[in-house]
Amino acid sequence: LRYRGDVDGAALSQVERAKRETDLPLPRILEQIPGIAPLDVATVLAEGLREAVFRLFLWETGEFRFAEMAVDANHFTAPCDCNALAMDVSREVDEYRELIRGLGSLERPVRAGTKPAEATAEDEYVLAHAGAAETAGELLATAPFPRLKAAWAVANAFDSGWLEFTTADAAAD
């Protein structure tokens, strides 16, 4: 919600506090916040579900199973086809791993180069935070948007020369 600009930090703090203090489900809490349309919440929840499954698929070990189960009717969420979601996300995980493999070691320090005239919000974030993140891996891990979008932004920044790997000594300087 913060990344999309749907709510400000104060409203998100309110959501976090309400979630801690009550047993209400997140959609019920979100519908109490003025200025958030139900359609926006549904989109955000669907994106969050997709990202959670994506990160599960990144696990190198372990096992999990999807199960269809009945839930209470909720105007915030549309029915989800778990099999279609799993297939789509597994394709995205393959794409992500290919991007990461193309970058090489994510443990190398990075620094921002020349900033482009036109950049996406993801590109802007990567370039703005390249100095704060010590490595490319930290830059990917701290991005406030889906991991695949972060990987594309980082790969695009390297390919365009907007971001470059440095040696540890150059990063310290």
Side-chain angles (χ1 to χ4, degrees):
L1 288 169
R2 181 177 287 139
Y3 166 68
R4 290 168 41 110
D6 290 340
V7 296
D8 60 14
L12 278 181
S13 295
Q14 212 176 5
V15 169
E16 290 167 358
R17 191 178 79 243
K19 188 69 181 143
R20 274 193 317 271
E21 295 173 359
T22 69
D23 286 333
L24 291 174
L26 184 60
R28 182 68 79 208
I29 294 169
L30 290 173
E31 87 183 330
Q32 301 302 319
I33 297 178
I36 299 179
L39 180 59
D40 293 337
V41 173
T43 302
V44 169
L45 291 175
E47 289 171 359
L49 169 67
R50 182 178 201 84
E51 183 66 9
V53 172
F54 182 88
R55 289 181 186 225
L56 281 174
F57 279 21
L58 287 177
W59 288 1
E60 297 293 330
T61 61
E63 177 181 317
F64 53 92
R65 295 185 186 138
F66 288 102
E68 299 280 347
M69 58 186 280
V71 295
D72 293 337
N74 182 341
H75 66 277
F76 284 116
T77 56
C80 177
D81 180 351
C82 290
N83 290 329
L85 176 67
M87 293 300 293
D88 197 33
V89 170
S90 65
R91 178 195 53 77
E92 289 179 356
V93 166
D94 290 343
E95 182 180 341
Y96 174 82
R97 288 195 169 127
E98 193 65 33
L99 282 170
I100 298 305
R101 199 176 354 245
L103 289 173
S105 173
L106 298 179
E107 300 307 312
R108 296 181 288 173
V110 294
R111 73 171 169 213
T114 307
K115 189 174 179 181
E118 292 184 27
T120 65
E122 291 84 5
D123 293 335
E124 292 281 344
Y125 177 88
V126 165
L127 295 173
H129 291 85
E134 292 184 18
T135 66
E138 289 175 12
L139 192 57
L140 278 172
T142 58
F145 40 87
R147 189 63 65 97
L148 182 59
K149 282 186 179 182
W152 270 112
V154 169
N156 184 41
F158 277 114
D159 291 345
S160 302
W162 306 332
L163 194 64
E164 57 190 30
F165 285 115
T166 63
T167 63
D169 294 337
D173 292 343

